[in-house]
Amino acid sequence: MKYVCTICGYIYDEAAGALESRIPPNTPWDALPSDWVCPICGAPKDVFEKAEEEAPAAVKDEPLTSFDASWNQLALSALCSNLAKGCEKQYLAEEAALYNQLAAYFETKAVPKEGNVQDLLNQVEQDLKELYPAAKQAADDAYDRGAKRILVWSEKVKRIQESLLKRYETEQQNLIKDTKVYVCEICGFIYVGDTPPEVCPVCKVPSFKLVEVERG
């Protein structure tokens, strides 16, 4: 049997094993240690899927509106920040500066939301169950290849967020103790470890785009 990492696409083949992780050939998936992680992106076992499984059927739903009024100020700040990065790549310095100003403005207006790790995990799981199928359907209906590509990246990042939150519930601060946390500036991929991968396993940009998160 073969199992595929839903984050970076790495394939674990039971017949071949994983020599980079010192897993010998003919090691069944269920025999892998519970703390075994993807040798490419560091994702845990629970994000892997059987290679033979068919993709779930598309969920028919109402098309998404262009703007959701329920977005909070912090989400708007992140959106403007991403738009600024897009403008920078197109050498639109003036537009990038304006978007950065908007991002800073919305960040100052953001109100911290009360909650805990379980609340955040519930939201992530709801997004994966409801939001992404609806967004994919909307992109299919609009024949929007750009949106479909972004959704592929975004869903992979959301799944790594889900796996990290589940690990944090068990390990608490030990998850990030004596190590570093990196975030890809392009797609948002999160990596926990001393040294980031040479390329982002989601969007394939070089490692210098994976920025270390500063801790207060």
Side-chain angles (χ1 to χ4, degrees):
M1 298 291 292
K2 296 181 181 180
Y3 295 80
V4 181
C5 176
T6 58
I7 305 302
C8 69
Y10 170 82
I11 299 176
Y12 176 77
D13 185 344
E14 291 179 326
L19 299 181
E20 59 271 75
S21 302
R22 297 184 179 180
I23 303 298
N26 300 315
T27 301
W29 176 256
D30 293 338
L32 291 177
S34 59
D35 59 353
W36 182 83
V37 298
C38 173
I40 301 299
C41 69
K45 287 180 65 178
D46 60 8
V47 306
F48 279 71
E49 295 179 350
K50 285 185 179 180
E52 289 76 11
E53 289 184 354
E54 297 181 356
V59 176
K60 296 291 183 179
D61 204 341
E62 293 297 323
L64 299 179
T65 57
S66 58
F67 177 77
D68 184 346
S70 68
W71 283 17
N72 60 35
Q73 304 297 319
L74 198 57
L76 290 171
S77 175
L79 173 63
C80 291
S81 178
N82 286 334
L83 289 171
K85 287 184 173 65
C87 289
E88 290 171 0
K89 285 188 170 297
Q90 299 179 58
Y91 303 101
L92 301 174
E94 183 178 353
E95 289 83 350
L98 291 172
Y99 276 124
N100 279 323
Q101 289 180 28
L102 282 172
Y105 169 78
F106 284 123
E107 185 175 6
T108 62
K109 298 298 181 180
V111 178
K113 185 177 181 181
E114 295 183 1
N116 51 39
V117 173
Q118 185 58 54
D119 292 332
L120 185 55
L121 181 58
N122 290 341
Q123 183 61 61
V124 169
E125 291 176 340
Q126 182 179 356
D127 288 347
L128 288 169
K129 181 179 179 181
E130 301 176 5
L131 180 62
Y132 281 93
K136 289 177 182 177
Q137 188 61 54
D140 284 339
D141 293 342
Y143 300 101
D144 190 334
R145 295 177 60 189
K148 291 170 69 173
R149 182 181 183 188
I150 291 172
L151 284 167
V152 169
W153 287 1
S154 179
E155 184 175 6
K156 289 182 177 181
V157 170
K158 187 69 70 173
R159 291 190 182 281
I160 200 68
Q161 291 175 352
E162 179 186 34
S163 67
L164 287 172
L165 287 170
K166 288 180 178 179
R167 287 180 60 190
Y168 187 84
E169 282 189 313
T170 303
E171 303 175 35
Q172 296 295 311
Q173 288 296 320
N174 289 328
L175 174 64
I176 55 176
K177 183 180 179 181
D178 300 326
T179 191
K180 300 177 181 179
V181 179
Y182 297 86
V183 177
C184 177
E185 288 187 316
I186 305 303
C187 69
F189 168 74
I190 303 170
Y191 181 80
V192 177
D194 292 332
T195 305
E198 293 184 0
V199 297
C200 174
V202 174
C203 67
K204 311 306 179 185
V205 296
S207 61
F208 70 83
K209 288 293 185 179
L210 274 69
V211 179
E212 182 179 354
V213 177
E214 297 182 2
R215 307 186 192 183

